[in-house]
Amino acid sequence: MTSPLLGFAARAGRAAAVLLLVAVTALALPHLMPGSPAVAALGVTATPEQITAFEAGLGLDRNVLAATADWIGAALHGDLGHSLANGAAVTTELANRIPVTLELFVAAQLVALAIAVPVALVSAWRPGGAVDRIATAGAFGWLAVPGFVLGLLLIWLTAVQLRILPATGWTPFTEDPVENLRHLVLPALTLGLPEAAVFTRTLRGQLLDTLDRTHIAAARSRGMGTVRLLLRRALRPSSLPLVTLIGIGIGTSLGGSVLVESLFAVPGVGTLAAGAINGRDFPVIQAVMVVCAAGVVLATLTVDLLYRTLDPRIAHGHR
Amino acid sequence: MTTPVLDVRSLDTVIHAPDGRRLHILHDVSLHIDAGECLGVVGESGSGKSVLARTVLGVHARTTRAESTGQVLLNGEDLLAAAPARRADLLGTGIAMVHQDPMTSLNPVVRIADQVTESLTNRRRLPRRERLRTAAELLAAVDVPDPVRRARAYPHELSGGLRQRVGIAAALAGDPVLLLADEPTTALDVTVQRTVLDLLDRHRATRGLATLLITHDIGLLYGRARRIAVMYGGRVVESGPTEQVTERPAHPYTAALLRSVPRVTGPLRRVLPAIPGSPPDLSRPLTGCPFAPRCDRAEAVCATVAPPVHRAGPAHTASCHFPLAAEAPRPSQTSLERTP
Amino acid sequence: MATVEIAAARPARTARRRPPAAVLAAAGWLAVVLLAALLLPLLPGFDPLHGDFSAPSAPPGPGHWLGTDAGGRDVLQRTVAGARASFAVAGLTVAVGLLGGGVLGLAAGWFRGPVDKAIGFATDLLMSVPTLILVMIAVSLRGPSLAVIGSLIGLFTVPAFTRVVRAVVLSLAERGFVQAARMIGTAPLRILRREVVPHVAPAALTFAFTATTVAIVAEGSLSFLGFGLRPPQPSWGGIIAEGRTTLGSAPWISLAPAAVLCLTVLALNYLGEHLRSPSRKATVNR
């Protein structure tokens, strides 16, 4: 049996390798572009000096590995370069936008959990019952609605038909908390509702497994009521796959947040990425790619640690 | 005459399985246990002994629905007629259960202290310090070494034998009057088995606890159960004082069970004897004696007529057309053939 | 051995049953969509680009069953044309995913050990990157062609295909008849062709249903973001995106093709699930 610490070190090493690969890929991107990125960015009237300076800035004059090493070195000193579009420091851009995307992500998870946990508990307690049948069929149908269609439907319903919520735009929380929440509702629902379907399915399956265990029968034989039993004894051992899902979600949600942020004009990392890709703003693209990969890696390691607190057997290396 | 702690009278239980099948598990089961007494219930898997325990407890498998008729009297109170709230109130405090497999009957992510004190905390809030203290006392009472540390531990940190002690401590926590022990030692090593049974014995005696000890291993009951009820096909086919039932079995099934047990004293751990055939299919109605298809003494009448109750002794009965000890007058073949 | 026999007996029993009505409905809907996409464009009056300027943004009714868009173009015709584009992308995606995942999954399950580990690392890596963003980058660098979009989405379905194929190959190895074939000296390629591929194909093809929906949704998302196929070859996502500016005045321009898209995804999911369930029970359950 390998020690848990060693396992953790191995995973951390793997994570570092992933990050490095993503950084190399990101720095190689300008090379993949047909024609000269410098000419594309500066225009045909650019002087050779300007082009040389531009290429040095992107690391195009060196090989990719050397450029990556330089980039990482600068990044460790808090310098992610400057946007080609407006010359702003990429770190400033990210610092402005990461909180927005994080807020959206957390709100979406809360939406998903607020729906999935009670529905899964009731479904699993009475499998084949009315709630279970409706929830299972509903989750299945719901998964067929892509995020962009769901977003459109929500806009159509709440902003166009009912006129109760703003369809697009953003107000920072620090400026006006109420307006911030009003702007948060639709994007959070668009991100969270499909996740709710996935969460419900996963948690229901795991709960069914847990509820069949003898220890649940034992707790019932000691007079534990249903609600307490579900919340205090069944939910926690069943929540591991959910934690994994949320962890993976941090990785995949960036794709989702590009879509949702663009749809609702939310100034987060997603719209930053979309804009940068559109404008071939390589320093921004590179920074977003690496930062997101780092986010995924961090999430994976956090999930690992959470596992240990949720299941004491893992902490003691019994599994 | 004192009222028994548990008095089961003509209990019939039907289980509605999740797949829609209707299983008539218990047929006219009657038995009683006095305070401080141990009744051994013996039978193969599928004999209905676990359903009997669950019916007495009032907690059935989550996905099934059970209907019972007859009476289950706890200190004279009919539980089958009691309100659900009253039944829930008795769980852990009136009737407690020790489960079969200690590896699966403890929640892996909940500390021992919180599981052992469940019968108490389900009724009132106990501060954490109080929980730990009570748990340590309970663990000490079931001979768990180092109880203060063990109370804070998780189940996987304990051996199988210790876990079963934890299970017993959890059952005793609510100070019940009736203890249902469903194969409490089947999953344990032979050496551990004995100490766990001794522990149950000790608490039965000191607390005056009525104990229903369910097992498939009749050898386990020597010297522990005062009386034995042998179950087959959801019926009590023979019951009586342990010595009489084991030394002069009246029912052929009991005799078959006993033949598999070596005649030696000491710890015994035996898988059920290879009695040819298998227990009856409970989803079908059954006429006659349930054991008839596997019985070497069976005759035509056994398959069609329910067996009469045969008195083999003052408190010793067996349901059989052709009981072993005292030869009952046999109906002749010819007279049988003449009946339509 | 007994459990294997029980497991093997089960799909045979379910296969004899008539498929449930919902399966027929799902298959029927897919057939209608596919046939419309293939055949309707051959009709003489079919022109999704022709704008009827006398009736811009006309609501659904006779003449234009799903209404017209802001340019007076028939929404039904555009939806049918969109189906062509969406399914073209999906076809390429599935081809790439099947080929890549098939080869990698076979290799991982066949050689195991370090090969399996290396392939596992590569697929994990591929799964940890934000798919949509990478495809967007590629489209921005190489242009929004069917080849780029279809093959890249396909690339990102390779890990899932690999897992499916690998699992089947591993379960085959456990069941022993591959070893048996090896022992009597059958050439590896022959074993692959005769014993492994026939077992892998159903599972992989079943997963192709899921991959198809992934491709349709991913392409739709790309179009929505302006990185999808460009007119005059609009996909479902493109058509839906075009209509969003008139969501208040003419919601059918977006919502009609959106409904068709959702129903198609639902039908594909349902068929995939239906195909998976009996075989899954046979191979995984105990």
Side-chain angles (χ1 to χ4, degrees):
Chain A
M1 193 176 288
T2 53
S3 95
L5 205 67
L6 204 70
F8 193 74
R11 272 187 293 276
R14 221 171 125 120
V18 169
L19 270 183
L20 194 67
L21 271 170
V22 171
V24 172
T25 315
L27 272 291
L29 282 178
H31 293 278
L32 299 176
M33 186 180 162
S36 159
V39 174
L42 304 172
V44 281
T45 56
T47 61
E49 291 78 31
Q50 282 173 308
I51 289 177
T52 314
F54 180 87
E55 289 185 338
L58 280 183
L60 287 174
D61 51 346
R62 285 151 292 168
N63 78 44
V64 175
L65 290 180
T68 311
D70 289 351
W71 190 89
I72 291 174
L76 290 177
H77 288 95
D79 176 15
L80 292 175
H82 292 265
S83 161
L84 297 182
N86 55 16
V90 176
T91 43
T92 325
E93 282 279 29
L94 281 175
N96 287 336
R97 285 160 177 267
I98 285 176
V100 177
T101 298
L102 267 184
E103 185 187 347
L104 185 54
F105 177 76
V106 170
Q109 305 308 306
L110 289 180
V111 166
L113 287 175
I115 295 169
V117 171
V119 172
L121 283 172
V122 176
S123 297
W125 184 249
R126 290 266 177 266
V131 173
D132 186 35
R133 286 205 305 269
I134 293 170
T136 306
F140 193 83
W142 200 234
L143 285 173
V145 182
F148 59 92
V149 173
L150 177 62
L152 270 188
L153 279 176
L154 284 173
I155 292 181
W156 181 68
L157 194 73
T158 60
V160 177
Q161 294 292 315
L162 303 173
R163 297 172 188 283
I164 46 174
L165 287 168
T168 58
W170 187 255
T171 309
F173 186 79
T174 46
E175 237 170 62
D176 184 347
V178 176
E179 270 307 299
N180 172 266
L181 288 179
R182 277 169 53 82
H183 280 102
L184 183 65
V185 173
L186 289 186
L189 284 177
T190 307
L191 264 184
L193 288 179
E195 265 188 280
V198 181
F199 283 12
T200 305
R201 276 182 144 193
T202 311
L203 186 59
R204 175 185 173 274
Q206 198 63 31
L207 275 168
L208 279 179
D209 186 56
T210 305
L211 287 172
D212 275 344
R213 300 285 165 102
T214 319
H215 63 76
I216 294 296
R220 286 174 67 207
S221 78
R222 296 193 273 269
M224 189 171 278
T226 306
V227 173
R228 207 178 143 93
L229 186 77
L230 286 172
L231 295 179
R232 305 280 285 268
R233 293 292 183 266
L235 192 55
R236 194 171 137 197
S238 309
S239 58
L240 288 183
L242 213 57
V243 171
T244 312
L245 269 184
I246 295 177
I248 295 173
I250 295 177
T252 52
S253 74
L254 189 76
S257 72
V258 173
L259 195 81
V260 171
E261 286 176 14
S262 303
L263 187 54
F264 294 98
V266 175
V269 181
T271 36
L272 177 69
I277 294 169
N278 243 334
R280 296 180 182 178
D281 193 343
F282 290 108
V284 176
I285 299 175
Q286 287 159 356
V288 168
M289 277 180 72
V290 177
V291 165
C292 289
V296 173
V297 163
L298 256 172
T300 320
L301 295 180
T302 313
V303 165
D304 238 55
L305 288 174
L306 255 178
Y307 260 46
R308 274 149 218 279
T309 52
L310 281 172
D311 191 338
R313 285 171 297 181
I314 299 173
H316 290 86
H318 277 254
R319 235 161 77 166
Chain B
M1 198 180 149
T2 56
T3 354
V5 172
L6 177 70
D7 193 357
V8 176
R9 294 180 186 173
S10 306
L11 178 64
D12 270 59
T13 297
V14 174
I15 300 277
H16 298 270
D19 57 9
R21 282 184 309 154
R22 182 180 178 281
L23 304 170
H24 193 162
I25 310 265
L26 298 181
H27 297 260
D28 193 27
V29 171
S30 294
L31 44 82
H32 65 95
I33 315 175
D34 291 327
E37 187 191 37
C38 175
L39 172 73
V41 172
V42 188
E44 291 171 281
S45 51
S47 62
K49 54 197 199 308
S50 288
V51 171
L52 170 67
R54 287 196 214 120
T55 305
V56 170
L57 186 70
V59 175
H60 284 273
R62 193 171 48 86
T63 48
T64 62
R65 197 166 54 79
E67 273 174 51
S68 297
T69 55
Q71 284 183 313
V72 175
L73 303 173
L74 186 76
N75 284 328
E77 177 187 3
D78 188 1
L79 299 182
L80 294 184
R86 172 65 185 146
R87 298 225 71 177
D89 202 38
L90 286 171
L91 290 175
T93 49
I95 309 170
M97 185 137 173
V98 177
H99 293 265
Q100 176 170 355
D101 185 358
M103 307 309 269
T104 58
S105 58
L106 293 175
N107 194 321
V109 303
V110 179
R111 285 182 200 277
I112 298 289
D114 295 339
Q115 302 196 53
V116 164
T117 53
E118 256 171 14
S119 295
L120 307 171
T121 52
N122 284 335
R123 270 118 193 143
R124 60 194 162 91
R125 274 192 63 86
L126 270 187
R128 184 178 155 75
R129 185 193 295 269
E130 193 79 354
R131 278 204 308 273
L132 285 170
R133 195 182 53 76
T134 313
E137 281 168 14
L138 285 163
L139 293 178
V142 293
D143 305 338
V144 170
D146 202 356
V148 176
R149 187 171 63 83
R150 257 48 186 271
R152 291 171 184 274
Y154 286 99
H156 70 266
E157 299 172 55
L158 272 55
S159 69
L162 278 186
R163 284 194 216 188
Q164 192 57 304
R165 284 164 194 279
V166 170
I168 293 170
L172 295 175
D175 208 6
V177 292
L178 174 66
L179 187 69
L180 309 171
D182 187 1
E183 305 259 12
T185 59
T186 309
L188 300 177
D189 287 341
V190 182
T191 46
V192 183
Q193 255 187 15
R194 185 181 198 146
T195 53
V196 167
L197 287 172
D198 287 345
L199 182 70
L200 281 174
D201 247 2
R202 197 176 84 212
H203 283 279
R204 175 189 57 74
T206 54
R207 292 169 182 248
L209 200 57
T211 307
L212 183 78
L213 182 57
I214 294 175
T215 180
H216 62 262
D217 184 353
I218 196 167
L220 210 84
L221 299 172
Y222 294 128
R224 297 197 192 274
R226 202 166 68 78
R227 289 181 297 113
I228 288 182
V230 180
M231 287 190 71
Y232 188 85
R235 297 151 174 89
V236 174
V237 294
E238 178 163 10
S239 74
T242 306
E243 301 74 41
Q244 288 183 35
V245 172
T246 54
E247 278 158 33
R248 291 194 306 284
H251 199 282
Y253 176 64
T254 314
L257 277 183
L258 284 162
R259 270 198 296 277
S260 70
V261 180
R263 295 276 167 191
V264 289
T265 51
L268 295 165
R269 181 181 159 83
R270 285 289 303 233
V271 184
L272 256 194
I275 303 173
S278 53
D281 180 358
L282 296 170
S283 59
R284 294 197 196 134
L286 187 140
T287 51
C289 172
F291 190 57
R294 300 167 76 186
C295 183
D296 49 10
R297 297 167 66 84
E299 296 188 12
V301 64
C302 296
T304 51
V305 181
V309 176
H310 163 77
R311 292 208 159 272
H316 184 182
T317 57
S319 302
C320 185
H321 286 287
F322 311 112
L324 286 161
E327 292 288 324
R330 291 182 168 209
S332 71
Q333 295 289 67
T334 45
S335 68
L336 251 181
E337 274 164 6
R338 251 182 268 125
T339 53
Chain C
M1 273 327 282
T3 52
V4 171
E5 283 159 21
I6 290 165
R10 205 174 297 164
R13 206 188 307 140
T14 48
R16 265 202 305 275
R17 268 206 323 247
R18 243 182 79 237
V23 172
L24 294 178
W29 170 260
L30 279 184
V32 167
V33 172
L34 281 172
L35 283 177
L38 282 174
L39 300 180
L40 280 189
L42 303 178
L43 294 178
F46 188 88
D47 184 5
L49 302 179
H50 170 74
D52 178 359
F53 291 108
S54 65
S57 300
H64 300 290
W65 290 358
L66 295 181
T68 60
D69 69 5
R73 294 172 295 189
D74 183 79
V75 173
L76 177 60
Q77 289 192 12
R78 289 175 62 72
T79 305
V80 168
R84 276 174 94 92
S86 288
F87 274 104
V89 171
L92 188 53
T93 295
V94 169
V96 170
L98 265 180
L99 194 69
V103 169
L104 289 179
L106 281 175
W110 185 265
F111 296 109
R112 308 197 208 177
V115 176
D116 189 16
K117 279 224 172 89
I119 291 174
F121 180 74
T123 51
D124 276 1
L125 182 70
L126 207 51
M127 281 201 297
S128 67
V129 296
T131 315
L132 205 57
I133 298 222
L134 279 195
V135 183
M136 283 164 68
I137 293 173
V139 168
S140 111
L141 295 180
R142 291 281 165 184
S145 69
L146 177 75
V148 168
I149 294 174
S151 58
L152 266 172
I153 299 175
L155 176 68
F156 288 107
T157 63
V158 165
F161 271 111
T162 305
R163 282 190 174 184
V164 170
V165 172
R166 175 180 173 275
V168 179
V169 176
L170 284 179
S171 78
L172 283 179
E174 255 171 44
R175 275 154 73 178
F177 59 82
V178 170
Q179 258 108 332
R182 264 181 185 165
M183 263 190 292
I184 59 171
T186 317
L189 271 180
R190 198 181 150 83
I191 301 178
L192 270 181
R193 196 163 45 86
R194 297 280 298 271
E195 311 282 355
V196 178
V197 170
H199 282 90
V200 166
L205 288 175
T206 301
F207 187 71
F209 280 89
T210 310
T212 304
T213 67
V214 167
I216 290 174
V217 171
E219 196 286 325
S221 307
L222 284 171
S223 292
F224 221 82
L225 291 162
F227 290 86
L229 297 178
R230 295 276 157 81
Q233 182 62 285
S235 67
W236 279 338
I239 301 170
I240 298 168
E242 273 179 31
R244 73 170 137 161
T245 48
T246 54
L247 207 51
S249 52
W252 56 87
I253 300 173
S254 264
L255 299 188
V260 172
L261 185 154
C262 291
L263 281 175
T264 307
V265 170
L266 183 65
L268 284 164
N269 280 346
Y270 192 80
L271 285 181
E273 185 90 354
H274 177 74
L275 288 176
R276 208 174 354 239
S277 49
S279 62
R280 190 209 282 144
K281 274 178 197 146
T283 52
V284 180
N285 263 14
R286 271 163 284 240

